[in-house]
Amino acid sequence: SQQGEEDPQALSIQEGENATMNCSYKTSINNLQWYRQNSGRGLVHLILIRSNEREKHSGRLRVTLDTSKKSSSLLITASRAADTASYFCATDARGAQKLVFGQGTRLTINP
Amino acid sequence: GAVVSQHPSWVICKSGTSVKIECRSLDFQATTMFWYRQFPKQSLMLMATSNEGSKATYEQGVEKDKFLINHASLTLSTLTVTSAHPEDSSFYICSARDLFGTGVQPQHFGDGTRLSIL
């Protein structure tokens, strides 16, 4: 499969807790992106991290990238019920226009 | 922010019907748009890359005669599912990249089209 792996496939936590999702990929990349998808909707871009970056922050989001392990993680701090969604990582491979998506993590935040 | 409009959002039709889905970039130009298919609780699978003014590039296993793509302008790409059958029922999503955006640009996604073939 060209797609990367994400784990866990599903995650259920209490509001206020932190949520961590992991993503692994297979090829050399220009950058890695994280997207959120609410049920039945399109994808919303969250954050992009370049291959020469190791960590990036945006509000309550923290993304790390380890190119030696071909892996990335997304941390959502102080989770809210509105964070309930599916989260996908996507890699922008070198020499390719297209994105390759991971399998996704379904995150449920319980009030 | 960049907006991609996809229309229609929901289609229900009889088997054998051809269905056209439009994808428009509303406030930016896109030489390249992408069409994805997504089954319930699964990830997005790229079907094809739509290039303005030229033929689309299809992924392996995607029938180009079944899924016709036209990218006639820098702001519009269409996907036509020809002679649709129940197995074509799925969620179809388009995305586009800003041609003139500075730096590395993410893809901007439409809200998807849910296609149900009876």
Side-chain angles (χ1 to χ4, degrees), chain A residues 15-83:
Chain A
E15 196 167 20
E17 294 180 341
N18 297 340
T20 300
M21 290 158 270
N22 303 296
C23 166
S24 62
Y25 57 92
K26 298 178 180 178
T27 63
S28 294
I29 61 172
N30 284 325
N31 61 72
L32 185 144
Q33 302 172 36
W34 285 90
Y35 288 84
R36 184 185 75 216
Q37 183 181 34
N38 289 90
S39 182
R41 302 297 298 273
L43 273 68
V44 174
H45 179 257
L46 296 176
I47 197 165
L48 181 154
I49 185 166
R50 293 180 174 79
S51 61
N52 62 352
E53 297 176 313
R54 292 297 166 258
E55 188 171 312
K56 202 162 184 179
H57 298 254
S58 177
R60 293 184 296 114
L61 306 180
R62 173 178 169 252
V63 168
T64 63
L65 178 64
D66 187 334
T67 53
S68 66
K69 295 181 180 178
K70 290 187 167 59
S71 66
S72 174
S73 68
L74 170 67
L75 168 68
I76 303 175
T77 60
S79 63
R80 304 168 182 169
D83 294 330

Side-chain angles (χ1 to χ4, degrees), chain B residues 23-37:
Chain B
C23 181
R24 292 180 186 274
S25 56
L26 296 185
D27 54 358
F28 67 97
Q29 293 183 320
T31 52
T32 304
M33 293 184 175
F34 304 88
W35 287 97
Y36 298 86
R37 184 173 181 175

Side-chain angles (χ1 to χ4, degrees), chain B residues 5-18:
Chain B
S5 173
Q6 192 171 337
H7 178 80
S9 57
W10 196 295
V11 180
I12 302 175
C13 58
K14 294 180 179 179
S15 185
T17 306
S18 292

Side-chain angles (χ1 to χ4, degrees), chain B residues 46-110:
Chain B
L46 180 65
M47 298 174 64
T49 302
S50 170
N51 302 298
E52 187 265 337
S54 66
K55 293 182 179 180
T57 303
Y58 290 82
E59 295 298 302
Q60 190 173 8
V62 178
E63 299 176 57
K64 62 181 181 181
D65 295 330
K66 174 75 172 176
F67 300 99
L68 300 179
I69 291 173
N70 184 281
H71 193 154
S73 77
L74 286 173
T75 59
L76 173 64
S77 175
T78 60
L79 168 68
T80 301
V81 183
T82 60
S83 187
H85 293 283
E87 58 267 28
D88 298 322
S89 297
S90 189
F91 192 55
Y92 293 86
I93 309 175
C94 71
S95 71
R97 266 185 165 143
D98 188 341
L99 173 65
F100 296 110
T102 56
V104 179
Q105 293 294 310
Q107 290 186 19
H108 303 286
F109 284 80

